[in-house]
Amino acid sequence: MEECFTTNYSRGGKYRVRYFVDNSRINKFYGLEVFRPTRENCSKYQVVVASNVRYDEIAQELTEYGLKELKDFIPYQALGKKVVLVHGNCYVEIVEAYLNTSKTFRDQYWIYPIPLIQHNTRGYIKDHLLDYCDVLIYQDIRETNPFDRRLSAEYLTQKVKKKKICIPNLNGMGKIFFPQAEAGNRVEGDAWNNPRGAEMQGGLFNYRDANIDRLWRSGERDILKIAEYLRGSVYDEKYIRDSFEQILRRWEEREQQWDVKLTDYVKREYQNEQMFYEYGHPCNNILRKVSEGILEILGIDKEEISEIEIRFGVSEMPVYNCVKEALGLKYERTSIRTVSPEEKPKLTEGEMDLVEYVREYCYWCYDFSGI
């Protein structure tokens, strides 16, 4: 039975089911009456929709009766909890996963599923969700973003009247460790499209390596020679240090808008912990810090957070030796992309070193087998 049921909240945190509403022919369910859905039957009490599979269909019917989602009817998962919207790019999936490892957070809050900004084909978040959510957790997305101004921080914060928490949008900040990284043009025929990995969204290489591309365009096809070049002094120390300081300053400027701060942590730990997998994707230690900051703002002990398995390591780039030396990076990485081929296709069953990285880059991006 796919039912939506109504409840009446009473003191002491108890919920009393008054009756069920359903299109089935059943007249009794758990000893209570089952009525057919009508505007009157669905308007007397708050409606709790007890269905995952047919939620959208039921929500549409209730909306046609004039009911407002999150105000007059809610998903059963939100019963007795505050509703949270988490808005941003792919980082927020990991932030949500971390938040949900906290029992106190799960007991008090429920995250309403909304699409990532890059997957939001509507170009907006429905007004009633913004009107009636209890907490908006959002990235500092500029008004001139490539998607829609209605997905910007400025627009959304004007709409939401309750609690708002701004978290870092770190897209591009990985340049601090990957000066070789460049975004592809994503046009038909461009090698960035990873022609051999076309079945995969984004391909195997989210960002181009400017040095491999330059050597390739000059006619170099020896994989070992390319890898050896990347091990050398590709960038001078002053350039690396200046770029590092410039990006950190930009980071500090943007941090003025964030409720969750990161700069002090990065300055303190960047030599000891890997911070980014590549140009656009931070490691979990960064996103865990963001999640801990959110819990602290909500008055929840950050120590409740535990580790998760989901991460962005499948698109990792190598940190050049010259970068390691210039920045004094102390952490060790014995391989790149340790995930198995089943998780993200790659040529090798084993671990990926720099030579293997170059080989796969040329294979997937230039259709070249090499060695």
Side-chain angles (χ1 to χ4, degrees):
M1 177 180 178
E2 298 257 280
E3 73 278 0
C4 68
F5 58 87
T6 55
T7 65
N8 182 37
Y9 183 82
S10 61
R11 293 182 181 178
K14 302 296 182 182
Y15 296 88
R16 188 170 121 196
V17 178
R18 297 287 188 169
Y19 51 80
F20 294 93
V21 177
D22 195 79
N23 283 311
S24 69
R25 296 179 180 179
I26 299 174
N27 294 318
K28 289 283 186 179
F29 190 65
Y30 283 94
L32 295 174
E33 289 186 274
V34 178
F35 296 106
R36 304 292 80 78
T38 64
R39 184 186 303 272
E40 182 182 2
N41 288 338
C42 294
S43 301
K44 292 181 179 180
Y45 308 102
Q46 185 181 52
V47 177
V48 181
V49 182
S51 175
N52 283 327
V53 178
R54 297 184 55 209
Y55 179 81
D56 289 342
E57 179 184 336
I58 295 170
Q60 178 61 35
E61 185 172 356
L62 293 171
T63 300
E64 290 171 359
Y65 292 156
L67 277 65
K68 301 289 187 182
E69 188 178 22
L70 301 187
K71 177 178 180 287
D72 304 313
F73 70 92
I74 59 172
Y76 71 91
Q77 301 99 320
L79 186 61
K81 300 178 182 180
K82 293 181 179 179
V83 175
V84 179
L85 301 182
V86 184
H87 173 62
N89 55 30
C90 50
Y91 307 167
V92 301
E93 290 184 313
I94 291 183
V95 170
E96 288 180 14
Y98 270 126
L99 292 176
N100 280 319
T101 65
S102 162
K103 182 180 183 304
T104 303
F105 179 85
R106 293 195 312 272
D107 288 345
Q108 296 180 8
Y109 298 91
W110 178 70
I111 299 174
Y112 186 103
I114 58 175
L116 302 176
I117 185 171
Q118 64 267 35
H119 297 156
N120 192 326
T121 55
R122 288 193 180 95
Y124 63 89
I125 299 172
K126 294 177 181 177
D127 281 345
H128 66 267
L129 298 180
L130 301 174
D131 289 340
Y132 300 114
C133 73
D134 297 290
V135 183
L136 172 67
I137 299 171
Y138 66 99
Q139 291 177 330
D140 60 323
I141 296 167
R142 65 185 185 277
E143 196 166 16
T144 56
N145 71 80
F147 304 103
D148 196 292
R149 66 170 297 274
R150 293 171 295 179
L151 296 174
S152 68
E154 183 176 352
Y155 179 86
L156 294 174
T157 52
Q158 291 175 354
K159 287 282 188 177
V160 175
K161 304 306 178 187
K162 295 186 180 179
K163 194 169 190 65
K164 292 168 280 225
I165 302 174
C166 184
I167 62 174
N169 178 8
L170 301 172
N171 187 34
M173 292 298 191
K175 189 77 170 178
I176 203 167
F177 302 107
F178 303 97
Q180 76 272 27
E182 292 183 349
N185 294 324
R186 305 194 187 206
V187 296
E188 187 176 355
D190 187 271
W192 183 90
N193 288 312
N194 297 199
R196 284 184 183 255
E199 72 282 359
M200 296 177 51
Q201 185 178 2
L204 263 76
F205 296 89
N206 287 342
Y207 297 92
R208 299 302 299 243
D209 186 302
N211 299 296
I212 299 177
D213 287 346
R214 179 171 53 79
L215 291 171
W216 180 273
R217 287 194 297 269
S218 71
E220 183 61 77
R221 298 295 184 268
D222 190 316
I223 302 299
L224 293 177
K225 286 184 178 179
I226 295 175
E228 188 60 28
Y229 177 83
L230 300 185
R231 290 193 185 99
S233 300
V234 182
Y235 302 100
D236 64 52
E237 181 176 347
K238 184 177 185 307
Y239 172 81
I240 295 169
R241 291 296 312 175
D242 287 350
S243 296
F244 182 86
E245 295 299 331
Q246 182 181 9
I247 293 174
L248 264 186
R249 285 195 296 272
R250 204 170 100 217
W251 197 320
E252 289 176 315
E253 290 171 5
R254 291 183 62 179
E255 189 174 74
Q256 301 306 310
Q257 304 174 55
W258 305 341
D259 295 306
V260 175
K261 311 297 184 182
L262 278 177
T263 306
D264 287 345
Y265 166 72
V266 172
K267 286 181 175 180
R268 186 176 66 250
E269 298 296 341
Y270 79 89
Q271 292 179 316
N272 302 315
E273 301 178 14
Q274 184 176 358
M275 297 286 167
F276 281 80
Y277 287 116
E278 30 86 330
Y279 176 92
H281 292 98
C283 296
N284 277 28
N285 50 347
I286 289 275
L287 297 175
R288 177 168 178 154
K289 283 293 177 184
V290 172
S291 307
E292 290 175 354
I294 293 170
L295 289 188
E296 287 183 319
I297 291 172
L298 294 176
I300 299 174
D301 186 357
K302 66 180 182 180
E303 299 302 321
E304 287 192 23
I305 282 186
S306 57
E307 261 316 314
I308 59 174
E309 293 186 5
I310 180 176
R311 61 194 66 242
F312 292 126
V314 292
S315 59
E316 187 174 3
M317 297 181 77
V319 178
Y320 286 178
N321 286 340
C322 59
V323 173
K324 294 177 184 177
E325 292 170 4
L327 298 182
L329 305 184
K330 300 172 185 175
Y331 61 86
E332 293 293 332
R333 290 285 302 185
T334 58
S335 62
I336 308 164
R337 303 191 184 189
T338 55
V339 297
S340 69
E342 292 75 25
E343 293 179 64
K344 192 87 167 181
K346 60 183 182 182
L347 298 181
T348 179
E349 290 283 345
E351 295 186 347
M352 181 188 282
D353 60 10
L354 184 60
V355 172
E356 181 63 26
Y357 181 88
V358 173
R359 182 168 79 103
E360 298 216 19
Y361 186 96
C362 295
Y363 177 87
W364 292 101
C365 294
Y366 290 110
D367 198 15
F368 177 75
S369 296
I371 59 173

